[in-house]
Amino acid sequence: MTTLTAALPELRARVSPRETLRQILLMTGRALQKMRRNPEQFFDVTLQPLLFTPMFGYIFGGAVAGGVSKYLPLLIPGILVQTALTSCMATGVTLREDMEKGVFDRFKSLPMSRVAPLAGPAVADTVRYAIATTLTILVGLAMGYRPGGGVVGVVAAGLLVVVTAWSLSWVFTFLGTMMKSAQGLQGISMMVLFPLTFLSNAYVPASTLPDWLQAFVKVNPVSHVVSALRSLANHGTVNSEVGWALLACAIVVAVFVPLAVRGYRRQL
Amino acid sequence: MTDLAVEAQGLVKKFGELRAVDGIDLQVHAGEVYGVLGPNGAGKTTTLSMLATLLRIDAGSARIFGVDVHHEPHKVRQLIGLTGQYASVDEKLTARENLVLFARIHGQRKQQARETAADLLERFGLTDAGDRLLEKFSGGMRRRLDLAASLISSPPLIFLDEPTTGLDPRTRGQMWDTIRDLVRQGSTILLTTQYLDEADQLADRIAVIDHGRKVAEGTSGELKASVGRSTLAVRLADPADMDAAARAVATVLGRPASRTPEAARLTVPLERADDAAEALIALRRSGISVQEVKVEEPTLDEVFLALTGSPASDEPDHASTGPAASGQLDEMEISR
Ligand SMILES: Nc1ncnc2c1ncn2[C@@H]1O[C@H](COP(=O)(O)OP(=O)(O)O)[C@@H](O)[C@H]1O
Ligand SMILES: [Mg+2]
């Protein structure tokens, strides 16, 4: 009929790792561009630290530690983890909303890496986690928190929070590819997060809890991350908890990145 | 390599109990415009989504330029451009940012991507609006941008899903011109539509689908010929006679008549010239007065009616239960 068939492009069998990386960066750029235009995305990561840190500090400080300034070394790492968890939940919810838009049909029909549309928002959201972390620490300092780990210890703790949030965001990204709606995802996520943060040592020392609860608190990964942060920020020491926290993050990433990509493919 | 741009056999897609696509065969030759015509809910989007690797194929097989869609989706994606029924562009970015992003995903460098975007904006008359957010775009502009985005890699096959649904007549005409331009440049196009005149205007060959099945295929001339050489159109003096008139004509000719109540118009395909006389006599016998009589070349409306046996719709009650806006639209289209 025509000579078109002769002019067919050379077809590549798959996306190379280099292209994948490039596409992840492109999708990160897109997410950052949208974040700049829609500052509402920063509300949760700004308000939470500004509200919760003083609130928890002044309410529980006297009861738990006999004074606000004595409570802060216990509390700040706890708040850091809680804020990180809720903001990485938002990563999944935002992605789910995004996936319902027509533009995802185009991403799916383009010869592009399947991980890039998921990884882009995850990488871009580290900016949000970093803002939440920095604000929490600043509010803590203003309230009289004097971390024993010094600048290095605090920065290391901050990095660990961001790494943890990024890793966990893959759990919510995975759920985002499985759930039918963003609201559904939000509901489920709250049900997971609430017990996970409160049934940990984030706000109270584990030793004050009844035995049966202690058993759970001890295996709760949130507790390990909180302990790791305390040792980094308050003492400037890298202990085994830090190792456990990083190992847990690595496992979460290794399990949930492939699951999320599979979930995304299966939507097809 | 094969001469077939699309070759699909027995395509099936199930959503739970519903067989949205129920064994469709398609053969689209390179360089042609192929129209898939069907009412809302016929399975057009679902068929296209399977061919474009957006939906898993439940049964059957499809190849694009000889490449299997199920086994080598990544290769297929390098051969196609998709313009979806709902604009597949990013609402939160500007038109230019959208095009640059998609060009860069296709592997273009920053500078090259900027040039591609500028060229496409120019070609689709969007240069002035290029730096506005899409939220402020009209439906027609969005469609044009969407089409522009599908052309970035100059794919040999372009899917257009209902490219003019919801557009006003003028914008619709512009879109038709754009599509004709693409054809002149040698693209193969598979388009879907629920507008009969659109398929007639644009497509070399047409498949009529209904309830997930292909009910007819051919050029618009062949489809019309298969129904009858010409059509009798009458305008009733009293629109209230519509039901009685349709019944009378259907009884004497043994074929359903299609109606346009707004215009008090009734049309029926004629197999022989004598049929016209029969129909008019039947009307007179029923005491129905006629204001105007015409014998016309058949339209695709009648083709559709004759092929599916009903004014096409999978929601038979939607006229009586207060139709949604889209339902109203396609009723109007089908009966026009
Ligand atoms: N994701 C889906 N889940 C369930 N049913 C669907 C889905 N997509 C389409 N359908 C149903 O499949 C049928 C065909 O839909 P579609 O292909 O969109 O029709 P068309 O594009 O011809 O209007 C319709 O009855 C529609 O309701
Ligand atoms: Mg459709």
Side-chain angles (χ1 to χ4, degrees):
Chain A
M1 259 189 116
T2 68
T3 54
L4 257 180
T5 43
L8 284 186
E10 189 79 14
L11 299 181
R12 284 152 286 134
R14 57 178 53 80
V15 196
S16 71
R18 207 190 141 101
E19 270 179 300
T20 304
L21 191 65
R22 191 172 161 274
Q23 288 164 0
I24 291 176
L25 291 179
L26 283 171
M27 298 307 279
T28 305
R30 164 180 177 263
L32 289 173
Q33 221 163 13
K34 290 172 75 148
M35 240 185 240
R36 271 206 306 274
R37 293 233 168 96
N38 184 12
E40 276 169 39
Q41 290 195 30
F42 294 112
F43 277 9
D44 61 336
V45 294
T46 321
L47 287 182
Q48 271 206 33
L50 293 182
L51 273 176
F52 283 6
T53 319
M55 205 172 82
F56 279 74
Y58 292 115
I59 292 176
F60 296 138
V64 176
V68 174
S69 58
K70 280 195 213 133
Y71 183 45
L72 286 173
L74 189 77
L75 172 71
I76 296 295
I79 295 260
L80 282 175
V81 172
Q82 162 154 38
T83 317
L85 282 171
T86 41
S87 42
C88 70
M89 171 186 92
T91 304
V93 175
T94 312
L95 179 73
R96 174 71 259 176
E97 284 168 357
D98 209 16
M99 281 196 289
E100 276 149 36
K101 309 264 166 65
V103 69
F104 260 79
D105 277 351
R106 186 167 299 282
F107 293 148
K108 285 176 184 166
S109 77
L110 285 175
M112 71 184 291
S113 139
R114 300 288 106 176
V115 76
L118 307 179
V123 174
D125 270 359
T126 53
V127 172
R128 294 174 60 246
Y129 313 148
I131 291 177
T133 304
T134 311
L135 279 178
T136 307
I137 292 171
L138 289 179
V139 172
L141 291 175
M143 288 170 63
Y145 176 41
R146 296 293 171 262
V151 176
V152 176
V154 170
V155 169
L159 286 176
L160 181 59
V161 175
V162 174
V163 168
T164 308
W166 182 80
S167 310
L168 287 176
S169 74
W170 283 100
V171 177
F172 297 101
T173 298
F174 162 65
L175 290 175
T177 64
M178 301 304 284
M179 301 288 296
K180 286 249 184 294
S181 76
Q183 281 103 326
L185 174 59
Q186 182 129 24
I188 291 249
S189 305
M190 292 300 276
M191 264 162 36
V192 175
L193 283 190
F194 227 64
L196 221 50
T197 42
F198 281 93
L199 302 184
S200 75
N201 62 357
Y203 299 110
V204 292
S207 54
T208 62
L209 301 172
D211 287 348
W212 57 272
L213 201 50
Q214 271 194 43
F216 177 79
V217 166
K218 279 196 182 126
V219 296
N220 184 349
V222 171
S223 305
H224 292 280
V225 178
V226 172
S227 306
L229 291 179
R230 282 183 188 141
S231 92
L232 283 172
N234 299 338
H235 312 293
T237 51
V238 180
N239 64 6
S240 62
E241 295 286 3
V242 178
W244 286 121
L246 287 174
L247 180 66
C249 287
I251 292 172
V252 165
V253 171
V255 171
F256 283 93
V257 173
L259 279 180
V261 172
R262 211 185 69 153
Y264 176 54
R265 279 184 203 274
R266 272 180 37 161
Q267 285 180 353
L268 306 184
Chain B
M1 269 297 164
T2 153
D3 184 42
L4 287 175
V6 178
E7 190 181 8
Q9 272 135 19
L11 280 188
V12 172
K13 182 74 206 176
K14 285 177 277 192
F15 293 116
E17 289 295 292
L18 175 75
R19 295 174 80 88
V21 174
D22 195 5
I24 284 189
D25 301 331
L26 286 180
Q27 296 205 328
V28 180
H29 296 281
E32 83 175 336
V33 180
Y34 191 92
V36 173
L37 171 65
N40 214 357
K44 302 182 295 296
T45 301
T46 308
T47 305
L48 233 55
S49 301
M50 283 191 284
L51 295 177
T53 76
L54 300 190
L55 271 183
R56 189 179 294 269
I57 295 174
D58 286 343
S61 69
R63 276 181 294 177
I64 305 292
F65 292 108
V67 183
D68 190 275
V69 171
H70 180 72
H71 292 109
E72 299 190 286
H74 186 67
K75 283 187 177 171
V76 167
R77 291 179 191 126
Q78 293 162 58
L79 294 166
I80 60 169
L82 173 69
T83 302
Q85 183 172 0
Y86 311 101
S88 18
V89 282
D90 197 327
E91 295 285 322
K92 301 278 184 212
L93 301 182
T94 68
R96 193 183 303 278
E97 286 165 350
N98 264 289
L99 293 176
V100 169
L101 174 66
F102 297 134
R104 298 205 67 197
I105 290 175
H106 273 295
Q108 296 188 7
R109 294 181 172 284
K110 207 169 199 163
Q111 190 51 36
Q112 193 189 355
R114 286 208 187 110
E115 285 162 17
T116 306
D119 286 349
L120 284 168
L121 288 173
E122 176 79 43
R123 188 169 147 201
F124 284 83
L126 292 169
T127 305
D128 290 342
D131 296 310
R132 258 187 269 157
L133 290 186
L134 289 203
E135 287 165 330
K136 303 193 175 78
F137 266 41
S138 70
M141 288 159 79
R142 227 171 277 218
R143 287 295 171 84
R144 292 211 299 275
L145 177 68
D146 202 11
L147 183 52
S150 317
L151 301 181
I152 287 172
S153 63
S154 317
L157 173 63
I158 299 166
F159 293 117
L160 297 175
D161 196 7
E162 302 200 15
T164 67
T165 300
L167 299 188
D168 62 70
R170 197 175 60 88
T171 326
R172 198 163 166 225
Q174 286 172 353
M175 189 55 111
W176 284 4
D177 290 339
T178 310
I179 294 170
R180 290 196 185 103
D181 274 346
L182 289 177
V183 178
R184 263 196 290 280
Q185 288 156 28
S187 304
T188 307
I189 296 183
L190 174 53
L191 67 84
T192 74
T193 180
Q194 26 174 322
Y195 301 105
L196 309 151
D197 55 337
E198 184 158 282
D200 201 3
Q201 289 278 330
L202 296 174
D204 299 318
R205 282 193 308 138
I206 298 169
V208 182
I209 69 168
D210 192 29
H211 297 291
R213 290 171 187 267
K214 187 163 81 177
V215 293
E217 182 175 29
T219 63
S220 72
E222 282 165 2
L223 291 180
K224 289 172 185 173
S226 74
V227 173
R229 278 197 306 282
S230 52
T231 308
L232 174 71
V234 298
R235 197 157 91 227
L236 304 178
D238 180 358
D241 289 336
M242 186 55 83
D243 284 339
R247 233 177 295 122
V249 171
T251 314
V252 63
L253 295 185
R255 286 190 294 281
S258 57
R259 10 171 142 184
T260 318
E262 310 91 86
R265 202 175 113 100
L266 195 70
T267 56
V268 67
L270 301 173
E271 268 162 21
R272 304 163 295 130
D274 279 349
D275 283 354
E278 300 273 5
L280 291 173
I281 292 168
L283 288 178
R284 161 56 55 87
R285 285 219 184 96
S286 320
I288 295 167
S289 164
V290 168
Q291 205 170 54
E292 192 183 307
V293 179
K294 264 194 284 188
V295 175
E296 296 171 338
E297 281 297 294
T299 66
L300 279 174
D301 303 71
E302 283 114 17
V303 174
F304 201 85
L305 189 63
L307 290 170
T308 61
S310 64
S313 166
D314 62 339
E315 299 139 306
D317 57 346
H318 79 181
S320 54
T321 57
S326 67
Q328 223 157 16
L329 187 70
D330 68 66
E331 276 239 321
M332 253 168 55
E333 285 305 322
I334 297 298
S335 60
R336 195 183 43 225

